[in-house]
Amino acid sequence: VVALSALSARAVAEPDHLIADFEGDTFAGWTVTGTAFGKGPIDVPLPLQQPVAGFEGARYVNSYHGTDKGQGTLTSPEFTITNNAISFLIGGGAHPGQTCINLLVNNKVVESATGDNDERLAWYTWDTKALVGKKAKIQMIDKETGQWGHINVDQIVQTDAPPVPALSTALLYQESYRPQFHFTAAKNWLNDPNGCVFYDGEYHLFFQHNPESVNWGNMTWGHAVSPDLVHWTQLPDALKPDKLGTMFSGSAVVDADNTSGFGHGNEKPLVAMYTAAGGTNPASKGQPFTQCIAFSNDKGRTWTKYAANPAIPHIAGENRDPKLIWHEATRKWIVALYLDGDQFALFGSPDLKKWTKLQQLGMPGCSECPDFFPLHLDGGAAKTKWIFTAANGHYLVGDFDGTIFTAEPGVQQADFGNSNYAVQTYSDIPAADGRRIQIGWMRDGKYPRMPFNQQMSFPAELQLKTTADGPRLFKQPIKEIETLHGKPSEWTDLKLNPGENPLAGLKGDCFHIKAEIEPGNATTVGFKIRGQQVVYRVADRKLESLGTAPLDLQNGRITLEILVDRTTIETFGNGGRVALSSVYLTKPEDQQLEVFADGGTAKIVSLSVFPVQSAWRSEPSALQK
Ligand code: FRU
């Protein structure tokens, strides 16, 4: 699956030219070497192969002949490139350069593609606009002899109108790099979570979405809802670019008392504030970045932009990312806004429409996507502190009197992973629940050949606890992960010697691991998860999980909680004292787990490994409160 952004339309489309449909019982005119491709296209299931689907007609090319061991090549006669694209169906192994289909011009590989470790064939397209008129060949090669050492190919065609990759709902959300319990857009790019708000039994997740491509652009608010922050249903896009700009990040609240006057009908109004990024679409040429509002009286299903937008005119630079909160004590709305450089501001309003600047504040090393919210210290109502976070999740702790936020010295860090960005907490979670739940964009992940790009973090609960260093945020995955738990494998009071691996029998791609470990005289203890280490270095007091966090032993022990999805590892140390939210790319077939101790004997005080089911293929189950 590829982005076809730039296929320029010709005045008159060139008709399709079929290169091969592999319907005959020989390779007619193609040159075969080796054994992998057999004697011709095949029409019967091959022995020992998983079912193959998605080819057209009766026959297709398959380089698996009872085994992955076969090697060889299959080369087309020379042809002239006539069209903007070459499209074909491909399935089988993902071994770039080894077992693949190549486009050769002057005997050099100019394009290449592989399967996706999936027997099903799907459309793939090469953009050949720049090659029209050139002589070319197509060559399939199969050098890989290990697992998935084969490809399936069918229906190679030169075309100006490439087939849209098949995304039947049966296959959607099952792709090999599709996160199974993290939110992704069904299709195309996403970045920041926006408008995180709970209303009438639904968590809303709006998100920076490019409806048109797997790359960033055309910023639009995508929209999804969930009863439990785990099982999501994507709805139509909520806010689309207009003459003030494309729709950059922002937030949403329930205007319970209809202070805005936007409410009518039976539902309470939801009000969103977003940045109109002036100048980022042709319609807004010459406009600055401003803050605008929109409202919905039908549970977020449809939105009306405020006629007198912007609500906050341009202040500085590319000021953006307004985060709203209701301040009950002074009965007004507050918005935290990013200004420019490392500068942020707070504004106040009685009605979400008219805003007065309250304060400007700096956060060295930080920018974008502020959030501002109170937390009870140590869970008790006796003491409340205010937290100001920036996009990277770093935060200030302080006090707020409704006008001025007075921060304690020092910018703090809660998450030390390689991918924790644009964090935002949920608004309007019922008081009886009382949680402060944060979700972020897991930036920079790689999703080869997927119809979507980028993902959200798993929602985490934030708590403020007294530590020797002062009050600090603790971050832990929300308990709703349990709705996806399978039957755990569990151990208690187990001695762990170097070279031993009690998890050797487990396999899978999604896990929730909970462990309490006493390193004893081991120098390192930890896990190897699908090839990736999560390791505690005892002498250094450091926890490494695609990032490094300081972590002390408590009574000679550490606790670890680890969420493993297809492209992410989120590790939480000592009850959330440190978190490491990280993206990684592993081979889909690498499904091994290991727990290890090196340099001495450790004790596993307790260890539970829960397989995690797909949120896309399970129903939300009633939560035990
Ligand atoms: C953060 C950010 C925001 C902006 C949005 C645009 O990732 O750069 O500051 O509003 O993304 O998509």
Side-chain angles (χ1 to χ4, degrees), residues 250-316:
S251 54
V253 288
V254 182
D255 182 10
D257 296 334
N258 197 17
T259 62
S260 62
F262 289 144
H264 56 77
N266 297 330
E267 301 295 341
K268 295 191 168 132
L270 300 183
V271 179
M273 186 180 253
Y274 59 91
T275 299
T280 58
N281 57 335
S284 70
K285 199 160 175 265
Q287 297 284 342
F289 278 34
T290 57
Q291 318 314 318
C292 296
I293 51 179
F295 58 92
S296 168
N297 280 302
D298 59 359
K299 309 210 285 178
R301 279 10 184 220
T302 58
W303 290 82
T304 308
K305 287 172 180 160
Y306 177 44
N309 272 335
I312 304 181
H314 178 254
I315 300 161

Side-chain angles (χ1 to χ4, degrees), residues 500-513:
E500 293 175 353
N501 175 24
L503 305 185
L506 295 183
K507 264 189 97 178
D509 57 1
C510 298
F511 293 103
H512 183 190
I513 300 169

Side-chain angles (χ1 to χ4, degrees), residues 80-155:
T80 303
I81 298 181
T82 48
N83 292 65
N84 282 343
I86 294 178
S87 290
F88 49 90
L89 288 162
I90 184 164
H95 298 287
Q98 282 287 107
T99 291
C100 52
I101 179 169
N102 295 329
L103 179 65
L104 307 180
V105 172
N106 295 330
N107 287 321
K108 282 211 193 70
V109 177
V110 294
E111 290 285 356
S112 186
T114 70
D116 200 12
N117 292 347
D118 192 324
E119 293 299 1
R120 295 167 295 192
L121 288 80
W123 283 108
Y124 198 96
T125 294
W126 291 323
D127 183 342
T128 52
K129 271 196 310 292
L131 300 171
V132 171
K134 293 228 156 49
K135 298 243 182 284
K137 283 182 191 170
I138 283 175
Q139 182 169 62
M140 296 175 220
I141 57 177
D142 183 350
K143 283 192 215 154
E144 177 62 46
T145 55
Q147 266 197 327
W148 284 107
H150 68 275
I151 51 169
N152 310 327
V153 173
D154 199 12
Q155 208 67 23

